[in-house]
Amino acid sequence: MKKNQHVVPSDDQWAVRGEGNSRKTRITQTQREAIEIARTIARKEQSELVIHGKDGRIRQKDSYGNDPFPPRG
């Protein structure tokens, strides 16, 4: 089952968490490091990467799966 990967604030650090999981996959010092880890997992699972800001709000989404609205080129 594909799980979207979320990058979320965790105290003074950042965490990678699979959607629906209560446990965090990884905890990192920087958001950039958490994004790289989550991006690798999302690509492998062909799911979405969801990046949250320090306030917890969604800041950015990247899709690595079957995008229902692919860009036209």
Side-chain angles (χ1 to χ4, degrees):
M1 187 170 129
K2 298 176 186 178
K3 284 192 175 182
N4 293 340
Q5 298 300 310
H6 291 256
V7 173
V8 295
S10 178
D11 298 320
D12 290 337
Q13 300 172 314
W14 291 89
V16 177
R17 194 181 78 230
E19 192 165 294
N21 292 356
S22 57
R23 284 183 27 179
K24 297 168 181 122
T25 306
R26 288 279 299 275
I27 294 176
T28 64
Q29 295 297 314
T30 66
Q31 186 185 40
R32 178 175 289 173
E33 190 180 358
I35 290 168
E36 289 307 312
I37 293 165
R39 180 170 281 132
T40 300
I41 296 168
R43 279 189 179 131
K44 192 172 93 177
E45 294 190 356
Q46 295 186 320
S47 60
E48 244 184 47
L49 167 62
V50 183
I51 302 167
H52 297 258
K54 280 191 184 272
D55 61 2
R57 284 199 188 135
I58 293 174
R59 198 183 89 189
Q60 181 183 342
K61 283 185 177 183
D62 290 325
S63 180
Y64 296 99
N66 295 325
D67 192 340
F69 303 103
R72 292 178 181 220

